[in-house]
Amino acid sequence: MRQAGRSLPEYRKIREKHDLVAITQQPELCAEVTLQPVRRLGVDAAILFADIMTPLLGVGLDVRLVENVGPVLDQPISRAEDMERLRPLEPEQDVPYVLRTLHLLRTMLPPEVGLIGFAGAPFTLASYLVEGRPSRTYARTKQLMYSAPALWAELMNRLAGIVSTYLTAQVQAGAQAVQLFDSWAGCLSVDDYRAYVLPYSANILRAVADAGVPSIHFGTGTSAMLEAMREAGGDVIGVDWRIPLDVAWQRIGYDRGVQGNLDPLALLAPWEVLANACRRVLTQGQGRAGHVFNLGHGVDPSTSPDTLARVVRLVHGEDA
Amino acid sequence: MRQAGRSLPEYRKIREKHDLVAITQQPELCAEVTLQPVRRLGVDAAILFADIMTPLLGVGLDVRLVENVGPVLDQPISRAEDMERLRPLEPEQDVPYVLRTLHLLRTMLPPEVGLIGFAGAPFTLASYLVEGRPSRTYARTKQLMYSAPALWAELMNRLAGIVSTYLTAQVQAGAQAVQLFDSWAGCLSVDDYRAYVLPYSANILRAVADAGVPSIHFGTGTSAMLEAMREAGGDVIGVDWRIPLDVAWQRIGYDRGVQGNLDPLALLAPWEVLANACRRVLTQGQGRAGHVFNLGHGVDPSTSPDTLARVVRLVHGEDA
């Protein structure tokens, strides 16, 4: 459950003294924050605590993480000259703390708890870089994509290179699986996704496969493009709550896994409503191997940790 | 093309002197604003100029339309007592200017140009009332829906009553078809849509059918719930750009029409890219009766009016 930590008081306490970037850059602290939801909630795997911008901060991009807003660039990417701001990533130099955090986590985690690496996908990263801040419409991003296809290809290639290197390094440092988050790709038509996004995500997912670990390919609002996401790659395809899990899995094909797909806002419902929603997801998963129970998106910060823990128990069959 | 007027200089000139509510309340001015895109762009139908909040302002709800934000309620709807703020609509008393605008438009429009009425659907209206302002997650709305089902039903019933009365009055005043906009219903799972939204939209669409005109049932992000939207009703189902039009129509069934589904941001692309996107929509419509060419959502204000006019000519076969 991504961003589950945000709802935990022990995480908030750490955040009072350290900002997000500071946490990611201190391996002991970052490992602690990564472990908090594992300890408190009893989930089956730990997900590296990092920001989607961590690798781009690593290559020196001037992006600020603004509280309650998100990534902000005072000078958004718009011209050929901006490409130089995205040099290749050298993990040992640029994000040594991420690698050290993963090493630490592998020594700290019990063997039955998996360790999952994490990176944003090129389109989602590009949308922040081009818009300069979070967007509802992605107007500038689409305009660049349509109007300057060569520049777009260059931007996506550079991002795909950075992300491939970043995830491969995470695997070498101990990640046993990785998630590629294309949170905003669902704003595109299927044709645009295929033309402007798929090849770059595919390059990354191929590199991860070559590194020898399974990958989870995640997006939201992707009900219409699940087949194309499958084509891009990923051993497991993330499915948000908009589409019933069984319908999604049938379209994706049973030779791939699926991850999902509880509406994170169902966690704000009374227990019986929430429990029914969880049971529906489990029923639609039909107990097949390859269903990873999860939320369709990140945890809302107002969610009760006790509720999260109870959902985990229900999924584990320990709470009716 | 909804909100096409926003991109027109002649509309902006009027907006310098009159705010949105003032325009809707002055029938001559409102008719003029409704006609502007028809004159400039050569579209086949005029859509009543109104705000989604017009009927709620009519019943006296304390909602403000804030420039560059949207509808804002300083006291969002949250408790049983708030229901009294939503009394039934009496169109002749509460929104006489809307009826007068439609009467005027029928005398002004050439007979070959259709006149389409317009209202927001209960879920989309409720989301504004419960959130108090536009939202990305609809957390409060979903929380109310899950936690207080009786209050939710009461809210949706009251809104459905208001909207039914409002649209029926629009038909009596001269609207030859109506659009029901459920812009944000796509944030829900299909199961939640069926449980918490469908019955109320269905009541409205039945009332419109009884009034004897066709209806267009519109939403965005609805790729997973098209069958449920069809079930709720509408002679024509609106389809956004995320799903290919032919795939959507097959799922909806050819006994209904479809409206769509160009990405409004494709209007910012160079002409050849845009023209190809338009042609793709037309190809996917396969020339079947019942395809209404349109955008998947409102026009971005930065769109060039010349581009909009050229798209209309292309669709009419007057521009290759």
Side-chain angles (χ1 to χ4, degrees):
Chain A
M1 296 192 282
R2 194 163 64 105
Q3 301 183 316
R6 292 201 299 189
S7 70
L8 304 183
E10 57 269 34
Y11 171 67
R12 292 196 187 138
K13 201 171 163 190
I14 289 177
R15 278 301 306 277
E16 283 170 18
K17 292 191 199 153
H18 306 274
D19 71 19
L20 218 144
V21 174
I23 295 173
T24 61
Q25 295 184 348
Q26 297 175 67
E28 284 74 17
L29 195 60
C30 193
E32 165 60 24
V33 163
T34 300
L35 289 172
Q36 283 176 346
V38 179
R39 275 192 220 112
R40 169 82 84 128
L41 308 177
V43 288
D44 300 318
I47 304 174
L48 170 70
F49 182 90
D51 191 80
I52 200 167
M53 289 295 147
T54 297
L56 304 185
L57 286 164
V59 302
L61 189 75
D62 43 342
V63 53
R64 293 179 292 124
L65 307 183
V66 180
E67 199 71 27
N68 299 322
V69 176
V72 173
L73 276 81
D74 295 322
Q75 298 179 311
I77 298 275
S78 66
R79 301 157 310 165
E81 304 89 275
D82 293 323
M83 292 304 121
E84 290 162 26
R85 293 157 68 191
L86 292 167
R87 65 161 172 78
L89 180 79
E90 299 186 37
E92 300 287 347
Q93 278 179 42
D94 298 332
V95 288
Y97 33 83
V98 172
L99 309 182
R100 176 82 189 124
T101 300
L102 289 164
H103 279 300
L104 266 179
L105 282 165
R106 279 299 290 276
T107 65
M108 295 166 86
L109 280 167
E112 72 276 14
V113 177
L115 176 57
I116 304 178
F118 151 86
F123 177 79
T124 293
L125 294 173
S127 77
Y128 287 113
L129 304 192
V130 176
E131 302 291 331
R133 52 175 48 241
S135 168
R136 273 182 85 103
T137 62
Y138 308 95
R140 283 164 181 250
T141 310
K142 290 184 181 178
Q143 196 165 15
L144 182 77
M145 189 173 93
Y146 294 136
S147 310
L151 185 60
W152 177 258
E154 171 77 10
L155 174 59
M156 292 293 278
N157 265 323
R158 284 184 182 242
L159 290 170
I162 290 169
V163 173
S164 290
T165 306
Y166 183 55
L167 286 178
T168 305
Q170 288 185 33
V171 172
Q172 286 161 358
Q176 296 160 306
V178 299
Q179 301 207 27
L180 185 69
F181 277 86
D182 214 352
S183 311
W184 311 134
C187 75
L188 297 170
S189 71
V190 180
D191 286 316
D192 284 349
Y193 177 81
R194 286 186 186 278
Y196 298 108
V197 178
L198 189 153
Y200 310 98
S201 292
N203 284 346
I204 295 167
L205 291 162
R206 247 191 318 267
V208 171
D210 289 346
V213 302
S215 57
I216 303 163
H217 188 187
F218 171 88
T220 65
T222 53
S223 300
M225 59 169 66
L226 293 169
E227 295 86 352
M229 283 180 70
R230 174 209 152 96
E231 205 177 308
D235 299 285
V236 176
I237 307 294
V239 176
D240 83 1
W241 63 93
R242 291 176 175 89
I243 185 167
L245 192 75
D246 49 352
V247 175
W249 207 348
Q250 193 178 23
R251 278 178 41 206
I252 290 165
Y254 299 117
D255 58 334
R256 304 286 177 100
V258 292
Q259 180 184 279
N261 70 343
L262 186 74
D263 186 341
L265 296 170
L267 295 165
L268 306 180
W271 176 250
E272 265 318 308
V273 175
L274 169 57
N276 279 333
C278 293
R279 285 183 206 114
R280 196 159 52 210
V281 172
L282 293 171
T283 303
Q284 293 176 346
Q286 299 172 317
R288 284 180 200 274
H291 174 214
V292 181
F293 184 96
N294 207 327
L295 310 180
H297 206 179
V299 172
D300 189 86
S302 69
T303 306
S304 150
D306 291 344
T307 301
L308 288 170
R310 197 168 176 191
V311 165
V312 174
R313 288 200 302 275
L314 184 146
V315 173
H316 284 164
E318 298 156 14
D319 188 323
Chain B
M1 295 193 284
R2 193 163 66 105
Q3 301 184 314
R6 292 201 299 188
S7 69
L8 305 182
E10 57 268 35
Y11 171 69
R12 290 194 188 141
K13 201 170 162 191
I14 288 176
R15 278 302 305 277
E16 284 170 18
K17 291 192 198 153
H18 307 273
D19 71 19
L20 218 145
V21 174
I23 295 173
T24 61
Q25 295 184 348
Q26 298 175 66
E28 283 75 17
L29 194 60
C30 192
E32 165 60 23
V33 164
T34 301
L35 289 172
Q36 283 175 345
V38 179
R39 276 192 218 112
R40 168 82 84 128
L41 307 177
V43 288
D44 300 319
I47 303 174
L48 171 70
F49 181 90
D51 191 80
I52 201 167
M53 289 295 148
T54 298
L56 304 185
L57 287 164
V59 302
L61 189 75
D62 44 342
V63 53
R64 293 178 294 124
L65 306 183
V66 179
E67 199 71 27
N68 300 322
V69 176
V72 173
L73 276 82
D74 295 320
Q75 297 179 312
I77 300 273
S78 65
R79 301 158 309 166
E81 304 89 274
D82 292 322
M83 292 304 122
E84 289 163 25
R85 292 156 68 191
L86 292 168
R87 65 160 173 79
L89 181 79
E90 300 186 36
E92 301 286 347
Q93 277 179 41
D94 298 331
V95 288
Y97 33 83
V98 172
L99 309 182
R100 176 82 190 126
T101 300
L102 288 164
H103 280 299
L104 266 179
L105 282 165
R106 279 300 291 275
T107 65
M108 295 165 85
L109 280 167
E112 71 276 13
V113 178
L115 177 56
I116 304 177
F118 152 86
F123 177 79
T124 293
L125 294 173
S127 77
Y128 287 113
L129 304 191
V130 176
E131 302 290 331
R133 51 175 47 242
S135 168
R136 272 181 86 104
T137 61
Y138 308 96
R140 284 165 180 247
T141 309
K142 289 183 181 177
Q143 195 164 15
L144 182 76
M145 190 173 92
Y146 294 136
S147 311
L151 184 60
W152 177 258
E154 171 77 10
L155 173 60
M156 292 292 278
N157 265 325
R158 283 183 183 243
L159 290 170
I162 290 169
V163 174
S164 290
T165 306
Y166 182 55
L167 286 177
T168 306
Q170 288 184 32
V171 172
Q172 286 160 358
Q176 296 160 306
V178 299
Q179 300 205 29
L180 185 69
F181 277 85
D182 215 352
S183 311
W184 312 134
C187 74
L188 298 170
S189 70
V190 180
D191 286 317
D192 284 348
Y193 177 81
R194 285 185 186 279
Y196 297 108
V197 178
L198 189 154
Y200 310 97
S201 292
N203 283 347
I204 295 166
L205 291 162
R206 247 191 318 267
V208 171
D210 290 345
V213 302
S215 58
I216 303 162
H217 187 187
F218 171 88
T220 65
T222 53
S223 300
M225 59 170 65
L226 292 169
E227 295 86 351
M229 284 181 70
R230 175 210 152 97
E231 204 177 310
D235 299 285
V236 176
I237 307 295
V239 176
D240 83 1
W241 63 93
R242 291 177 176 88
I243 185 168
L245 193 74
D246 50 352
V247 175
W249 207 347
Q250 194 179 22
R251 279 179 39 207
I252 290 165
Y254 299 118
D255 57 334
R256 304 286 178 101
V258 292
Q259 180 184 280
N261 70 343
L262 186 73
D263 186 340
L265 295 170
L267 295 165
L268 306 179
W271 175 250
E272 266 319 306
V273 176
L274 170 57
N276 280 333
C278 293
R279 286 184 205 112
R280 196 159 52 211
V281 172
L282 292 170
T283 302
Q284 292 175 347
Q286 299 171 318
R288 283 180 201 274
H291 174 214
V292 181
F293 184 95
N294 209 327
L295 309 180
H297 206 179
V299 172
D300 189 87
S302 70
T303 306
S304 149
D306 292 344
T307 301
L308 288 170
R310 198 169 175 191
V311 165
V312 174
R313 289 199 302 275
L314 184 147
V315 173
H316 284 163
E318 299 156 13
D319 187 324

